[in-house]
PDB file of all heavy atoms in Angstrom:
ATOM      1  N   TYR A  95     -22.349 -33.535 -24.609  1.00  0.00           N
ATOM      2  CA  TYR A  95     -23.673 -33.349 -24.016  1.00  0.00           C
ATOM      3  C   TYR A  95     -23.994 -31.895 -23.706  1.00  0.00           C
ATOM      4  O   TYR A  95     -25.081 -31.422 -23.986  1.00  0.00           O
ATOM      5  CB  TYR A  95     -23.768 -34.178 -22.731  1.00  0.00           C
ATOM      6  CG  TYR A  95     -25.172 -34.385 -22.253  1.00  0.00           C
ATOM      7  CD1 TYR A  95     -26.031 -35.212 -22.957  1.00  0.00           C
ATOM      8  CD2 TYR A  95     -25.646 -33.758 -21.117  1.00  0.00           C
ATOM      9  CE1 TYR A  95     -27.324 -35.413 -22.528  1.00  0.00           C
ATOM     10  CE2 TYR A  95     -26.933 -33.959 -20.680  1.00  0.00           C
ATOM     11  CZ  TYR A  95     -27.771 -34.789 -21.389  1.00  0.00           C
ATOM     12  OH  TYR A  95     -29.045 -34.985 -20.967  1.00  0.00           O
TER      13      TYR A  95
ATOM     14  N   GLN B  46     -24.867 -41.756 -24.487  1.00  0.00           N
ATOM     15  CA  GLN B  46     -25.787 -40.678 -24.171  1.00  0.00           C
ATOM     16  C   GLN B  46     -26.288 -40.794 -22.742  1.00  0.00           C
ATOM     17  O   GLN B  46     -26.379 -39.804 -22.020  1.00  0.00           O
ATOM     18  CB  GLN B  46     -26.968 -40.704 -25.143  1.00  0.00           C
ATOM     19  CG  GLN B  46     -26.552 -40.397 -26.560  1.00  0.00           C
ATOM     20  CD  GLN B  46     -27.671 -40.583 -27.548  1.00  0.00           C
ATOM     21  OE1 GLN B  46     -28.739 -41.085 -27.197  1.00  0.00           O
ATOM     22  NE2 GLN B  46     -27.443 -40.210 -28.781  1.00  0.00           N
ATOM     23  N   ASP B  47     -26.600 -42.020 -22.333  1.00  0.00           N
ATOM     24  CA  ASP B  47     -27.073 -42.210 -20.963  1.00  0.00           C
ATOM     25  C   ASP B  47     -25.978 -41.857 -19.980  1.00  0.00           C
ATOM     26  O   ASP B  47     -26.225 -41.251 -18.942  1.00  0.00           O
ATOM     27  CB  ASP B  47     -27.521 -43.663 -20.752  1.00  0.00           C
ATOM     28  CG  ASP B  47     -28.856 -43.929 -21.436  1.00  0.00           C
ATOM     29  OD1 ASP B  47     -29.532 -42.940 -21.770  1.00  0.00           O
ATOM     30  OD2 ASP B  47     -29.204 -45.101 -21.621  1.00  0.00           O
ATOM     31  N   ALA B  48     -24.738 -42.249 -20.322  1.00  0.00           N
ATOM     32  CA  ALA B  48     -23.618 -41.929 -19.437  1.00  0.00           C
ATOM     33  C   ALA B  48     -23.484 -40.423 -19.311  1.00  0.00           C
ATOM     34  O   ALA B  48     -23.224 -39.891 -18.231  1.00  0.00           O
ATOM     35  CB  ALA B  48     -22.332 -42.538 -19.977  1.00  0.00           C
ATOM     36  N   ASN B  49     -23.684 -39.719 -20.414  1.00  0.00           N
ATOM     37  CA  ASN B  49     -23.595 -38.260 -20.387  1.00  0.00           C
ATOM     38  C   ASN B  49     -24.661 -37.657 -19.499  1.00  0.00           C
ATOM     39  O   ASN B  49     -24.399 -36.735 -18.729  1.00  0.00           O
ATOM     40  CB  ASN B  49     -23.761 -37.681 -21.800  1.00  0.00           C
ATOM     41  CG  ASN B  49     -22.459 -37.702 -22.556  1.00  0.00           C
ATOM     42  OD1 ASN B  49     -21.394 -37.653 -21.959  1.00  0.00           O
ATOM     43  ND2 ASN B  49     -22.527 -37.780 -23.857  1.00  0.00           N
ATOM     44  N   LYS B  50     -25.875 -38.196 -19.618  1.00  0.00           N
ATOM     45  CA  LYS B  50     -26.966 -37.666 -18.796  1.00  0.00           C
ATOM     46  C   LYS B  50     -26.630 -37.852 -17.338  1.00  0.00           C
ATOM     47  O   LYS B  50     -26.813 -36.959 -16.508  1.00  0.00           O
ATOM     48  CB  LYS B  50     -28.276 -38.412 -19.109  1.00  0.00           C
ATOM     49  CG  LYS B  50     -29.119 -37.748 -20.145  1.00  0.00           C
ATOM     50  CD  LYS B  50     -30.548 -38.281 -20.131  1.00  0.00           C
ATOM     51  CE  LYS B  50     -31.119 -38.230 -21.537  1.00  0.00           C
ATOM     52  NZ  LYS B  50     -31.719 -39.433 -22.005  1.00  0.00           N
ATOM     53  N   LYS B  51     -26.130 -39.049 -17.016  1.00  0.00           N
ATOM     54  CA  LYS B  51     -25.780 -39.352 -15.623  1.00  0.00           C
ATOM     55  C   LYS B  51     -24.711 -38.396 -15.135  1.00  0.00           C
ATOM     56  O   LYS B  51     -24.768 -37.866 -14.033  1.00  0.00           O
ATOM     57  CB  LYS B  51     -25.237 -40.773 -15.534  1.00  0.00           C
ATOM     58  CG  LYS B  51     -26.236 -41.801 -15.087  1.00  0.00           C
ATOM     59  CD  LYS B  51     -25.522 -42.981 -14.417  1.00  0.00           C
ATOM     60  CE  LYS B  51     -26.443 -43.722 -13.483  1.00  0.00           C
ATOM     61  NZ  LYS B  51     -27.023 -44.888 -14.092  1.00  0.00           N
ATOM     62  N   ARG B  52     -23.718 -38.191 -15.989  1.00  0.00           N
ATOM     63  CA  ARG B  52     -22.593 -37.341 -15.628  1.00  0.00           C
ATOM     64  C   ARG B  52     -23.062 -35.919 -15.395  1.00  0.00           C
ATOM     65  O   ARG B  52     -22.618 -35.228 -14.495  1.00  0.00           O
ATOM     66  CB  ARG B  52     -21.597 -37.366 -16.780  1.00  0.00           C
ATOM     67  CG  ARG B  52     -20.264 -36.854 -16.403  1.00  0.00           C
ATOM     68  CD  ARG B  52     -19.166 -37.465 -17.279  1.00  0.00           C
ATOM     69  NE  ARG B  52     -17.897 -37.239 -16.648  1.00  0.00           N
ATOM     70  CZ  ARG B  52     -17.269 -36.065 -16.695  1.00  0.00           C
ATOM     71  NH1 ARG B  52     -17.803 -35.085 -17.363  1.00  0.00           N
ATOM     72  NH2 ARG B  52     -16.129 -35.904 -16.066  1.00  0.00           N
ATOM     73  N   ASP B  53     -24.007 -35.485 -16.230  1.00  0.00           N
ATOM     74  CA  ASP B  53     -24.538 -34.143 -16.116  1.00  0.00           C
ATOM     75  C   ASP B  53     -25.202 -33.966 -14.752  1.00  0.00           C
ATOM     76  O   ASP B  53     -25.016 -32.964 -14.076  1.00  0.00           O
ATOM     77  CB  ASP B  53     -25.563 -33.906 -17.228  1.00  0.00           C
ATOM     78  CG  ASP B  53     -25.964 -32.466 -17.326  1.00  0.00           C
ATOM     79  OD1 ASP B  53     -25.072 -31.599 -17.396  1.00  0.00           O
ATOM     80  OD2 ASP B  53     -27.172 -32.200 -17.306  1.00  0.00           O
ATOM     81  N   ILE B  54     -25.971 -34.984 -14.359  1.00  0.00           N
ATOM     82  CA  ILE B  54     -26.634 -34.913 -13.061  1.00  0.00           C
ATOM     83  C   ILE B  54     -25.613 -34.925 -11.943  1.00  0.00           C
ATOM     84  O   ILE B  54     -25.703 -34.154 -10.986  1.00  0.00           O
ATOM     85  CB  ILE B  54     -27.626 -36.082 -12.921  1.00  0.00           C
ATOM     86  CG1 ILE B  54     -28.794 -35.846 -13.867  1.00  0.00           C
ATOM     87  CG2 ILE B  54     -28.092 -36.229 -11.495  1.00  0.00           C
ATOM     88  CD1 ILE B  54     -29.908 -36.812 -13.723  1.00  0.00           C
ATOM     89  N   MET B  55     -24.607 -35.799 -12.053  1.00  0.00           N
ATOM     90  CA  MET B  55     -23.573 -35.852 -11.016  1.00  0.00           C
ATOM     91  C   MET B  55     -22.888 -34.505 -10.892  1.00  0.00           C
ATOM     92  O   MET B  55     -22.617 -34.015  -9.798  1.00  0.00           O
ATOM     93  CB  MET B  55     -22.528 -36.914 -11.363  1.00  0.00           C
ATOM     94  CG  MET B  55     -22.949 -38.325 -11.058  1.00  0.00           C
ATOM     95  SD  MET B  55     -21.488 -39.373 -11.054  1.00  0.00           S
ATOM     96  CE  MET B  55     -21.948 -40.523 -12.279  1.00  0.00           C
ATOM     97  N   THR B  56     -22.607 -33.902 -12.051  1.00  0.00           N
ATOM     98  CA  THR B  56     -21.936 -32.601 -12.031  1.00  0.00           C
ATOM     99  C   THR B  56     -22.779 -31.573 -11.301  1.00  0.00           C
ATOM    100  O   THR B  56     -22.271 -30.792 -10.501  1.00  0.00           O
ATOM    101  CB  THR B  56     -21.673 -32.104 -13.460  1.00  0.00           C
ATOM    102  OG1 THR B  56     -21.075 -33.135 -14.213  1.00  0.00           O
ATOM    103  CG2 THR B  56     -20.771 -30.892 -13.459  1.00  0.00           C
ATOM    104  N   ALA B 127     -27.678 -47.020  -7.526  1.00  0.00           N
ATOM    105  CA  ALA B 127     -27.261 -46.320  -8.740  1.00  0.00           C
ATOM    106  C   ALA B 127     -28.249 -46.518  -9.881  1.00  0.00           C
ATOM    107  O   ALA B 127     -28.403 -45.644 -10.729  1.00  0.00           O
ATOM    108  CB  ALA B 127     -25.872 -46.801  -9.150  1.00  0.00           C
ATOM    109  N   SER B 128     -28.936 -47.671  -9.893  1.00  0.00           N
ATOM    110  CA  SER B 128     -29.843 -47.933 -11.007  1.00  0.00           C
ATOM    111  C   SER B 128     -31.225 -47.347 -10.809  1.00  0.00           C
ATOM    112  O   SER B 128     -32.016 -47.290 -11.730  1.00  0.00           O
ATOM    113  CB  SER B 128     -30.018 -49.436 -11.220  1.00  0.00           C
ATOM    114  OG  SER B 128     -28.801 -50.085 -11.109  1.00  0.00           O
ATOM    115  N   TYR B 129     -31.555 -46.930  -9.610  1.00  0.00           N
ATOM    116  CA  TYR B 129     -32.921 -46.484  -9.332  1.00  0.00           C
ATOM    117  C   TYR B 129     -33.172 -45.086  -9.892  1.00  0.00           C
ATOM    118  O   TYR B 129     -32.494 -44.125  -9.534  1.00  0.00           O
ATOM    119  CB  TYR B 129     -33.177 -46.497  -7.822  1.00  0.00           C
ATOM    120  CG  TYR B 129     -34.537 -45.966  -7.435  1.00  0.00           C
ATOM    121  CD1 TYR B 129     -35.688 -46.689  -7.685  1.00  0.00           C
ATOM    122  CD2 TYR B 129     -34.665 -44.719  -6.818  1.00  0.00           C
ATOM    123  CE1 TYR B 129     -36.942 -46.196  -7.346  1.00  0.00           C
ATOM    124  CE2 TYR B 129     -35.903 -44.219  -6.462  1.00  0.00           C
ATOM    125  CZ  TYR B 129     -37.046 -44.962  -6.727  1.00  0.00           C
ATOM    126  OH  TYR B 129     -38.267 -44.481  -6.382  1.00  0.00           O
TER     127      TYR B 129
END
Side-chain angles (χ1 to χ4, degrees):
Chain A
Y95 197 70
Chain B
Q46 294 173 352
D47 286 344
N49 277 333
K50 266 196 211 130
K51 262 206 157 97
R52 196 153 196 282
D53 191 51
I54 290 187
M55 281 197 238
T56 311
S128 318
Y129 176 72

